[in-house]
Amino acid sequence: MEIVMVVTVLAIMLLLAFFRASITSWVLAVMVIVPVIAIQQRFSDDVLMVVGSILFVYIVFFGIPFTRRIVVSGTALKIFRKILPQISATEQEAIEAGTVWWDGELFSGNPDWNKLLALPKPSLSSEEQAFLDNEVEQLCAMLDDWDITHKRADLPPEVWQFIRDKGFFGMIIPKRYGGLEFSAQAHSAVISKISSRSGTAAVTVMVPNSLGPAELLLHYGTNEQKEEYLHRLAQGKEVPCFALTGPLAGSDAGAIPDYGIVCYGEYAGQQNVLGVRLTWEKRYITLAPVATLLGLAFKLYDPNHLLGGEPNRGITLALVPTGIHGVQNGRRHFPLNSAFLNGPTQGKDVFIPMNFIIGGTSRVGQGWRMLMECLAAGRSISLPASSMGGMKLATRTSGAYCRVRKQFKTPIGKFEGVEESLARIGAHTYMIDAARQLTALAVDLGEKPSVVSAIIKYHSTERCRIVINDAMDVHGGKGICLGPDNYLGRFYQQMPVAITVEGANILTRTLMIFGQGAIRSHPYVLKEIAATHDHDHNRALHQFDDALFGHISFALSNAARSLVFGLTAGHGIHTPDGIETRRYFQQMTRFSAAFALSADIAMAALGGSLKRREKISARLGDVLSQLYLCSATLKRFENDGRPAEDLPLLHWALQDALHKIQQAFEGVIQNFPNALVRGLLSVLIFPLGRCLSPPSDRLGHQIATLLMQPGEARDRLTAGIYIPDDEQDAVGSLEAALASTLANEPLLAELEEARKAGKLTELEELPRISEAREKGIISAEQALLLERDYRLRRKVIMVDDFAAEELRAGY
C-alpha cells in the first residue's frame, strides 16, 4: 500500500511539473495529498498536529499571494539584488538591443514547430530577381579575381563606376531617396552571388549596405540628415565607411578611447558654432582609404555643460566628411592578400557642428545601443551571404572536379576518403544556406534578431572555413597553386578575415550566443533582472513574484519533460506531418527541454561566475546554435516541397547536428564544477545514456554521388552563384568538363577496349583519337567531341605557372 501511495504521489508531482502547473495548482495538490496520506497512515494526534501546522504554514506562505510576495518573493528579491553580477552600461544596452525571435521558442523548452513552418517562404520580387539576372550577372562577368587581387590590389575603375551607376551602394536605401529598397533576402542574394566570383567586389558592395552611415541614418537620422546624405549615398556620389575598432578597443569596443569635447568653434567660415572637437585613431576600417563620408563612434564629454546634464555623455555617433581639415585617411592595410580597401583613419582636434551627430542632440549618448540594434540586422545578412557564396562555389566545383579528375583510372570522388570531405561540403552548405535564408526572412519580417544574428555569423563563417578546407584537400595541387585558373585559393586565404570581423568567433561563441541568449531569450530571466533594477518597491515586488514563480514552474516542467523524453527517446511527442522529419522534430523538442533545464541549472548553481565559465557557456551556446540550424534546415526542406533527392543532405546535416548537441551536453555535464549537479543533469537529460550516432558512411556516399553529377538536387544546393558559360574561364571550363566527361566516357571506354585488342597503337590520347577516326572505330563527329573533352579535362587539371618577373610584378 505504501509503495502504491508513493508512486501515486510521485506521478502526480511529475504530471504537475510536466504540464507546467502554476503555484496555485501546486498548493491545491498539497492540500489534497497531505490529508489523504495522513488519513491513510492513521497518524497520531501529535503527528497530525505537526503535519497540519506545516501544511498551514505552506498554504499561508505560498497559497496567499500577499504573504508570499512579502515573505518569500521579498526575501528572494533582496538576495537577487546582492548576488546579481554587475552589468556595465554597454553590456546592458547590448542585452536590450534587438528582438527575441525563434530563439525564444528554443529557450521555451517546447517549440511550436507549426509556428516555424507557417512562416512565409523566402522569395524575391520580380524587380529584385531582374537585378540579380541582369546587373549582378553583368558585374560578375566584369570581374577577374586574379587581376583584382594580384595585379591591381583593387577593383578596376570601370567596375567601381558600374557599382556606383547601377545603385549597388543603395540596396537598403528607400526609393524615395533614390535607392533600390531591396529586401534583406535580395540583399543577401546579391552579396552571395558576387562573393562566388570575387570576395573583393562582394565586400565593396556589402559594407555600404551593412552597419554604416546609410543604415544608421535610416533608423536614427534627422529628416535633414536623410535628405542631405541618403540621395548621394544611393547614387554612389558618397563612399561611406564606419569607424568603430581601434588599436586599444577591438572586441571590447565599449572601451574606445576616441573622444569628442563639446565646445564652440569655427566651421565653414562661421564663428561660435556649437559643436564637437574630435580626436580618434581607428584601424581595420573597410573603405576608409577611399571614403568621403566617415561614420565615427566616440565618447562625448561636455565639461562646460553646454548641452546641460552630465559631463560624461557616453558613446555617440557622428558623420564626418573626410575632406574636413584634420581627417587622415588613404593608407591601407593588406589583410591576407585581400584587395578590398581597408585601412586606418585618424583625426586630431577635428571640429564638427552638432548637426553632424547622427540623430542630432537627442541621440547624444545613445551610440552603443544604436550600433547594437543595427549590428543585429546587418550581421544577419552580410557575412552569412558572403560565406555562402564561397561555400556554394566550393560545393559545385569540388563535386565536378572530383568527377573529372581521375587517379588509378577512377574518379577521385569515388574514393571513400574523398567521399567524407564531399559529404561535409554538401551537408554544411545545405544547412547554412537554410539558416541564411531563414535569418534574412526574420529581418524582412521586422525582427532585429540579436542572438540569432550571432549564431548565423559564427556558424556561417566557421562552416565556410570547414568547407573551403575540405575543398582544398580534394583539389590537392590544383587548390594550392595560385593563378587565373585557381578559383579556391583566395577564399582559403581570406577566410580568417570573416572569422575575425563583426565579433571575433571565439568571443561570439564563448560570450555572446549563450551569454546574451540566456538573458534576452529566456522567458523569465530578463523580467527578474528588470525587477531587481526597479526602484518602485511595490511594482518590483509584484513583477519579481510573477517572474520568480513562473520561472520555478518553468524549470520544474523542463526537468520533468527532459526526464520523460529521455526515457522515451522523444517518441510520442506530437510533431508536424512528415514521415521523413518526424523523428527530428521529436529529438529537437527533447533537446529544447533539456537545454532550457540546463540553462536554468547553470545560472542557479553558478550565478555570476557563469559569466567567467566561458567553456560551459560556449557548450550551452553550441546546443542553442545547433537547435536553430536544425530548425532552419527543416524549414528549408518544407519550403522546397520535401524533394526526395535532397534527403541525404537533410539526414546528414540533422544527424550531425543532433550528435553535436549530444556531445555539447556531455561536455557541460562532465565539466560542471558541482558533482551533485553533474549527477542530476546526467539523470535528467540522458537517463538511458547517449544513443545518438554521427551520420553513416552510406549517407556520405549518397551526397558525394549527388555532387558529382548534374541534377536538380545539385542545382538547388548551389543555386544563386555565378556560373560563367565561357570555356576559357576556370569555373566555366569545369562545368563544361563535367558534362563532357559524363557524355564521352562510353566512347573513351571503346577506345580503351580497342587499344587492349591491339587495334590502336598510339600512346598518347589525342593521337589515339585521330588514329581511331582514321581506322573507322569512331566517326569524325565523335572524334571532335573527344578532342574537346580532352582539352576541357586538361584545362581543369592543369595549374598556372609564371615567369619570375610576372610574380615579382604582383608584389
Side-chain angles (χ1 to χ4, degrees), residues 395-396 398-400 403 413 419 422-423 425-427 430 643-650 698-718 738 742:
T395 300
R396 195 168 184 97
S398 294
R403 185 62 182 83
E419 279 187 349
L422 288 177
I425 289 171
Y430 183 80
E645 302 90 344
D646 292 358
L647 281 173
L649 296 164
L650 177 82
R698 178 181 57 83
L699 279 177
H701 171 74
Q702 291 172 351
I703 293 174
T705 302
L706 180 154
L707 296 187
M708 289 191 294
Q709 59 189 23
E712 292 183 0
R714 180 172 181 260
D715 288 341
R716 270 193 301 272
L717 184 60
T718 59
L738 174 62
L742 295 172

Side-chain angles (χ1 to χ4, degrees), residues 284-334:
Y284 310 145
I285 312 304
T286 301
L287 296 186
V290 293
T292 60
L293 186 63
L294 169 69
L296 185 68
F298 59 94
K299 289 182 177 176
L300 183 65
Y301 299 93
D302 184 15
N304 298 316
H305 304 281
L306 298 178
L307 301 178
E310 295 294 321
N312 185 351
R313 304 307 297 268
I315 295 175
T316 302
L317 309 181
L319 294 176
V320 183
T322 57
I324 293 179
H325 177 72
V327 177
Q328 301 176 42
N329 65 332
R331 294 187 63 80
R332 294 179 59 176
H333 301 309
F334 191 35

Side-chain angles (χ1 to χ4, degrees), residues 742-756:
L742 295 172
N744 290 294
E745 275 185 344
L747 271 179
L748 288 172
E750 287 183 27
L751 263 62
E752 179 63 15
E753 289 298 319
R755 185 193 66 80
K756 289 180 179 179

Side-chain angles (χ1 to χ4, degrees), residues 207 211-213 216 240-244 285-286 294-297 317-318 358 371:
V207 168
L211 176 62
L216 291 166
C241 71
F242 188 81
L244 173 63
I285 312 304
T286 301
L294 169 69
L296 185 68
L317 309 181
I358 298 176
L371 288 174

Side-chain angles (χ1 to χ4, degrees), residues 192-224:
S192 183
K193 186 168 186 174
I194 299 172
S195 180
S196 71
R197 186 62 170 171
S198 166
T200 299
V203 172
T204 302
V205 171
M206 179 174 79
V207 168
N209 292 287
S210 185
L211 176 62
E215 187 171 12
L216 291 166
L217 285 169
L218 284 171
H219 291 292
Y220 310 108
T222 64
N223 290 332
E224 293 78 9

Side-chain angles (χ1 to χ4, degrees), residues 54 208 218 237 284 303 363 470 480 524 722 755 775 781:
I54 295 173
L218 284 171
K237 294 179 180 179
Y284 310 145
R363 290 289 182 179
D470 278 329
I480 63 173
Y524 295 103
Y722 176 70
R755 185 193 66 80
K775 292 182 177 180
E781 182 180 353

Side-chain angles (χ1 to χ4, degrees), residues 288-610:
V290 293
T292 60
L293 186 63
L294 169 69
L296 185 68
F298 59 94
K299 289 182 177 176
L300 183 65
Y301 299 93
D302 184 15
N304 298 316
H305 304 281
L306 298 178
L307 301 178
E310 295 294 321
N312 185 351
R313 304 307 297 268
I315 295 175
T316 302
L317 309 181
L319 294 176
V320 183
T322 57
I324 293 179
H325 177 72
V327 177
Q328 301 176 42
N329 65 332
R331 294 187 63 80
R332 294 179 59 176
H333 301 309
F334 191 35
L336 295 175
N337 282 44
S338 300
F340 66 87
L341 301 179
N342 180 279
T345 175
Q346 298 90 27
K348 178 70 173 175
D349 294 331
V350 176
F351 183 80
I352 61 170
M354 288 301 297
N355 62 6
F356 280 24
I357 291 177
I358 298 176
T361 55
S362 64
R363 290 289 182 179
V364 164
Q366 298 183 26
W368 189 247
R369 186 183 186 91
M370 293 158 65
L371 288 174
M372 290 299 99
E373 289 179 346
C374 286
L375 185 62
R379 191 165 51 186
S380 301
I381 301 169
S382 300
L383 287 170
S386 59
S387 296
M388 186 45 56
M391 292 175 77
K392 286 186 175 182
L393 176 70
T395 300
R396 195 168 184 97
T397 56
S398 294
Y401 185 81
C402 287
R403 185 62 182 83
V404 173
R405 176 66 163 156
K406 294 182 180 180
Q407 292 288 277
F408 308 103
K409 299 182 179 180
T410 303
I412 62 172
K414 294 188 177 183
F415 290 96
E416 290 192 353
V418 177
E419 279 187 349
E420 281 189 329
S421 295
L422 288 177
R424 285 192 295 268
I425 289 171
H428 288 328
T429 300
Y430 183 80
M431 174 170 269
I432 296 302
D433 197 31
R436 175 192 67 85
Q437 293 181 51
L438 182 63
T439 309
L441 174 65
V443 177
D444 282 330
L445 294 175
E447 302 288 344
K448 293 182 179 179
S450 53
V451 175
V452 165
S453 71
I455 291 172
I456 187 62
K457 185 274 171 180
Y458 173 81
H459 284 278
S460 64
T461 53
E462 285 293 338
R463 300 290 181 100
C464 185
R465 174 156 59 181
I466 293 170
V467 165
I468 296 298
N469 282 345
D470 278 329
M472 291 289 288
D473 284 351
V474 301
H475 277 76
K478 176 73 174 179
I480 63 173
C481 291
L482 290 174
D485 283 340
N486 188 322
Y487 39 78
L488 290 177
R490 292 304 193 202
F491 278 106
Y492 176 78
Q493 283 183 303
Q494 296 162 16
M495 266 315 303
V497 177
I499 297 290
T500 301
V501 300
E502 293 194 18
N505 277 11
I506 291 177
L507 172 73
T508 300
R509 176 175 178 261
T510 57
L511 294 178
M512 294 180 66
I513 294 175
F514 179 75
Q516 190 173 9
I519 298 175
R520 194 74 179 89
S521 307
H522 194 286
Y524 295 103
V525 169
L526 192 59
K527 297 175 183 177
E528 290 166 337
I529 292 175
T532 63
H533 292 160
D534 194 335
H535 297 295
D536 185 319
H537 179 72
N538 188 51
R539 183 175 59 205
L541 193 57
H542 277 76
Q543 291 176 348
F544 187 78
D545 177 74
D546 291 342
L548 176 64
F549 283 94
H551 195 160
I552 292 171
S553 175
F554 174 76
L556 290 173
S557 172
N558 284 318
R561 289 162 54 80
S562 181
L563 176 61
V564 171
F565 295 159
L567 290 170
T568 62
H571 288 286
I573 297 173
H574 179 72
T575 67
D577 295 335
I579 188 65
E580 308 96 337
T581 57
R582 179 177 57 85
R583 284 296 293 146
Y584 297 126
F585 281 118
Q586 290 176 337
Q587 290 285 15
M588 289 164 63
T589 300
R590 171 195 173 187
F591 282 139
S592 174
F595 168 70
L597 169 69
S598 302
D600 276 331
I601 289 178
M603 287 187 284
L606 298 177
S609 69
L610 180 58

